[in-house]
Amino acid sequence: MTEPQADATGPAIAEAAPELFEGKAESGWTRMAMLAVVAGAYIAFGSIAYLVAQAGPPGGATQLLSGLAFSVGLMLTMVTGAELFTGNTMFVLAVDRHRLTAGRMLTAWVVVWFGNLIGSVVIAVLFVTAGGGSGVEGLVGDSAVKVATSKVTKDTLALIASGVLANMLVCLAVWMAMAAKSVPSKIIAVIGPVTVFVAAGFEHSIANQSLLAMGWLLQDGGAITGGAIARNLALSTFGNILGGMAVAMMLGRAQLDE
């Protein structure tokens, strides 16, 4: 696969992106599924870091620190080449360029989404079993329940809009990281957009897989039910798809059609 050079400009990234996305979508199902499980675990580690930061005093500084802490999840994903559903929503650009069929894209999305779910839930269960909720004198567990409750009680339009915004920022981070040839440059590309989306409280479906699982496991009765979790994941996933497609088409198609 052709990769953009380290000093790639926007058009150069757009030119290389369809082939990169095609290669990812056309990889073997077993490899794809395994890398998706790994990515789910990485994002769950970011969720844990986020909850630890959330145990601090409320305020804008804590929100920004929480976003910075969570960014470790996408850093791990980008540096190791794992498969993350939200970034893969940009496969639509490869479909638009006739390098990938819509059927293959949709199947890859399903495989990666459920692989991410497995990795997310495994880490969430291990974290709770290890006593992670008792961290910072129990404030980590309190934060997990509070965050999860706020997510499952959002109204429909808020969840979808929040999902769009979250994945626009995530895909911008991925787009920039695609041009990076070194580990430090990939990390720098990820930090800003991820910090913003997390600090703002936007809805990232894969992060929610672990955050909602931890909140559900740590709650002592409450609003975090199986149905509420499914609703959040369905609506945030829909919003994420729209956000990822928007970034791919705006940055990719606009520059390729010049």
Side-chain angles (χ1 to χ4, degrees):
M1 292 180 290
T2 302
E3 294 188 3
Q5 298 302 307
D7 59 349
T9 59
I13 302 172
E15 184 176 350
E19 185 178 353
L20 288 169
F21 296 151
E22 177 193 11
K24 287 167 67 67
E26 294 286 3
S27 64
W29 296 121
T30 300
R31 175 182 181 276
M32 186 184 296
M34 292 178 65
L35 288 175
V37 172
V38 170
Y42 290 161
I43 297 300
F45 287 138
S47 295
I48 291 170
Y50 164 78
L51 291 175
V52 172
Q54 282 287 296
T62 293
Q63 288 299 107
L64 287 172
L65 179 60
S66 298
L68 180 61
F70 177 83
S71 67
V72 69
L74 191 58
M75 289 178 197
L76 292 169
T77 300
M78 293 304 301
V79 171
T80 63
E83 294 288 344
L84 183 64
F85 167 78
T86 44
N88 289 1
T89 58
M90 291 194 292
F91 286 178
V92 69
L93 181 61
V95 174
D96 180 70
R97 297 287 104 178
H98 306 293
R99 301 194 65 112
L100 185 67
T101 66
R104 181 74 185 196
M105 176 187 74
L106 293 172
T107 305
W109 281 358
V110 171
V111 170
V112 172
W113 194 94
F114 280 101
N116 290 165
L117 178 65
I118 292 170
S120 296
V121 171
V122 167
I123 297 302
V125 171
L126 288 173
F127 176 71
V128 173
T129 303
S134 62
V136 194
E137 299 180 348
L139 292 178
V140 171
D142 292 343
S143 295
V145 175
K146 180 181 178 181
V147 167
T149 299
S150 71
K151 289 180 175 295
V152 300
T153 53
K154 284 185 180 178
D155 65 41
T156 298
L157 287 178
L159 279 171
I160 294 173
S162 189
V164 170
L165 293 170
N167 210 31
M168 287 182 72
L169 286 162
V170 168
C171 287
L172 285 169
V174 171
W175 189 269
M176 292 189 295
M178 283 165 50
K181 304 293 285 187
S182 68
V183 171
S185 58
K186 286 184 183 293
I187 289 173
I188 291 170
V190 163
I191 289 176
V194 173
T195 297
V196 171
F197 105 71
V198 177
F202 296 149
E203 300 290 330
H204 184 270
S205 57
I206 309 307
N208 288 358
Q209 289 174 349
S210 53
L211 288 169
L212 295 177
M214 286 185 275
W216 179 69
L217 291 169
L218 290 166
Q219 74 175 346
D220 185 14
I224 313 168
T225 64
I229 290 173
R231 172 181 172 273
N232 174 281
L233 293 179
L235 293 173
S236 61
T237 296
F238 178 62
N240 290 166
I241 290 171
L242 295 179
M245 290 174 66
V247 169
M249 298 306 283
M250 287 189 295
L251 288 180
R253 189 174 185 181
Q255 296 183 96
L256 290 170
D257 289 342
E258 287 182 347

